[in-house]
Amino acid sequence: MKYFRYVLPLLALLILSGCGTKRQTFEPKSLAGQISYDGNLPSSIVDVVRDGATLENGQIITKDGLQNVILPKGFTFLGASHNKYLATSKCSNLIIVDQNSKVVYERKFDVIVASASLKDNKLAVVLGNNKLLLIDTKIDKVLYSKQGDAVYAHDSKIAAPYFLNSLLIYPTLDGKLLIIDMKSNKLLRDVVIKSEKFFSNVIYLDVLGDRLVAATKKRVVSINPKTMSFIDKNVKDVIVLKDRVLIFTQEGRVILTDADLKILKTKKYKFASFVGTIHGKFIYIVERAGFLIATDINLKSSNVYELPDAIAAYVFTTNNKLFYKDHYFKLDKTRKR
């Protein structure tokens, strides 16, 4: 009883003091202008993945913009390949639809689909239990299967498998890359980025030239035929350029590195919370409090524009548009005060 007599007042003090705290938000010193929406979407965004978004009416947005494709009710977009669109449901079904919204392939799995990619008739799937599958959709046959280590939680940003000539690169939910030879359907190599049981999935994967760049929430790796480099940061997003890499952190920092992840320059936006990035004429960063930060590729100068809304729901960006709720605006359409 003596223990509780001292502990309970302390807990009460902590709770009361916590109620009085206010989250500090990004407040730019000056604004270069305001942004207004350029148009409306047919309905609101209800789901977002790295490569696209799903609207409430079943339409999808890809990196090429709004599509006329309508998904069946209960399905959300996963990815696209040459006028074929992947979608999944909470009931663990995966479908492929064509540009006329016709379902041309369907498969039921035991667990939810985390990510998937399609090349011709080859379907690469990462399931929610970290199982990897390669399926020939023409004959509906599993060509490769591997059960990964158990994971207990993963980030909502999940990289999709990457087809690279005769190779297939799987990003796993426990922070690894598995490289498969599709001629023999055998594992050639596995690369550990940063493997943990919680929130360790690969959130970014891209190949530019002979360089592969991948990231989890805690580490970015850059791999070429001769070397492998890494940098440990609290990663929010990554953009890969020809000979440079931009890393956006959870603390509101932008880090410019060379191709081997050697830091060249950093820029800190105090209290900023990044929710989206775009690589167009400039580097554009969507900030949660309702701002768009535009900076040059060398991080020498930046301008901040005010968005119509704070970001409190799904947002998706292409190389020239930002989609939010049921609105969109085009980049380089800023309105000065």
Side-chain angles (χ1 to χ4, degrees):
M1 293 299 293
K2 185 177 181 181
Y3 171 78
F4 287 102
R5 193 172 65 194
Y6 290 104
V7 171
L8 289 177
L10 177 60
L11 288 174
L13 178 63
L14 291 173
I15 292 171
L16 290 172
S17 62
C19 293
T21 59
K22 182 181 179 181
R23 182 184 178 277
Q24 293 176 300
T25 58
F26 175 63
E27 296 180 0
K29 295 180 179 179
S30 62
L31 291 173
Q34 290 180 311
I35 291 173
S36 58
Y37 293 121
D38 289 302
N40 296 322
L41 294 170
S43 62
S44 295
I45 297 173
V46 294
D47 190 76
V48 169
V49 293
R50 178 168 286 279
D51 293 325
T54 308
L55 304 186
E56 191 174 16
N57 70 347
Q59 271 186 269
I60 61 176
I61 307 171
T62 70
K63 289 296 185 181
D64 295 323
L66 181 66
Q67 305 296 316
N68 291 322
V69 174
I70 304 290
L71 298 179
K73 187 175 181 179
F75 281 83
T76 54
F77 176 74
L78 280 177
S81 174
H82 296 96
N83 296 322
K84 297 288 180 64
Y85 304 91
L86 302 174
T88 187
S89 72
K90 293 181 180 179
C91 296
S92 307
N93 287 335
L94 183 147
I95 59 173
I96 301 174
V97 301
D98 63 16
Q99 58 189 336
N100 298 315
S101 305
K102 179 183 177 181
V103 177
V104 296
Y105 178 81
E106 183 170 6
R107 191 178 182 99
K108 168 78 173 174
F109 297 97
D110 295 331
V111 295
I112 61 169
V113 177
S115 68
S117 296
L118 180 70
K119 181 182 180 183
D120 299 325
N121 61 312
K122 300 295 176 65
L123 173 66
V125 180
V126 179
L127 296 179
N129 63 353
N130 207 24
K131 186 175 184 178
L132 314 177
L133 296 167
L134 176 62
I135 300 167
D136 186 327
T137 59
K138 192 173 183 180
I139 57 177
D140 199 23
K141 180 182 178 181
V142 175
L143 305 176
Y144 178 81
S145 176
K146 183 174 179 61
Q147 178 62 62
D149 293 339
V151 292
Y152 303 110
H154 56 73
D155 189 86
S156 59
K157 285 185 178 180
I158 303 173
Y162 194 103
F163 289 96
L164 180 63
N165 301 320
S166 63
L167 301 178
L168 172 58
I169 306 169
Y170 279 104
T172 73
L173 299 184
D174 61 337
K176 301 174 185 176
L177 299 176
L178 270 60
I179 302 174
I180 310 299
D181 178 9
M182 289 196 295
K183 292 180 179 178
S184 62
N185 295 322
K186 292 184 178 179
L187 176 65
L188 293 179
R189 182 184 177 190
D190 63 338
V191 179
V192 177
I193 301 175
K194 199 171 182 69
S195 186
E196 298 173 352
K197 297 296 184 182
F198 294 90
F199 301 106
S200 189
N201 57 285
V202 181
I203 62 172
Y204 181 88
L205 171 60
D206 198 8
V207 176
L208 190 61
D210 64 349
R211 182 173 300 276
L212 183 155
V213 178
T216 67
K217 289 184 67 174
K218 296 295 183 181
R219 173 173 289 179
V220 181
V221 298
S222 177
I223 305 169
N224 64 30
K226 295 182 179 179
T227 62
M228 174 176 170
S229 309
F230 69 89
I231 183 171
D232 287 341
K233 298 292 178 182
N234 292 319
V235 182
K236 194 76 172 180
D237 205 354
V238 178
I239 291 178
V240 179
L241 307 175
K242 183 177 180 181
D243 57 353
R244 296 186 180 188
V245 177
L246 283 158
I247 302 168
F248 304 84
T249 75
Q250 295 177 23
E251 297 84 10
R253 193 179 303 274
V254 184
I255 303 171
L256 175 66
T257 77
D258 65 12
D260 294 316
L261 301 180
K262 179 181 178 182
I263 295 177
L264 302 175
K265 188 178 178 67
T266 64
K267 191 170 184 67
K268 168 74 173 176
Y269 297 93
K270 192 174 181 181
F271 303 129
S273 177
F274 302 150
V275 294
T277 56
I278 311 165
H279 174 216
K281 183 178 178 181
F282 301 96
I283 301 299
Y284 298 92
I285 311 166
V286 184
E287 202 281 325
R288 188 178 299 277
F291 299 98
L292 182 72
I293 303 168
T295 179
D296 65 288
I297 292 174
N298 296 312
L299 304 184
K300 290 183 178 179
S301 62
S302 62
N303 289 316
V304 181
Y305 300 88
E306 187 175 16
L307 297 173
D309 300 295
I311 306 299
Y314 294 111
V315 60
F316 179 69
T317 59
T318 64
N319 63 351
N320 65 353
K321 288 182 181 178
L322 184 148
F323 299 88
Y324 180 60
K325 293 183 178 178
D326 59 350
H327 310 290
Y328 71 87
F329 72 81
K330 299 177 183 179
L331 295 175
D332 301 325
K333 292 280 187 178
T334 51
R335 280 75 165 171
K336 291 186 178 181
R337 287 179 180 270

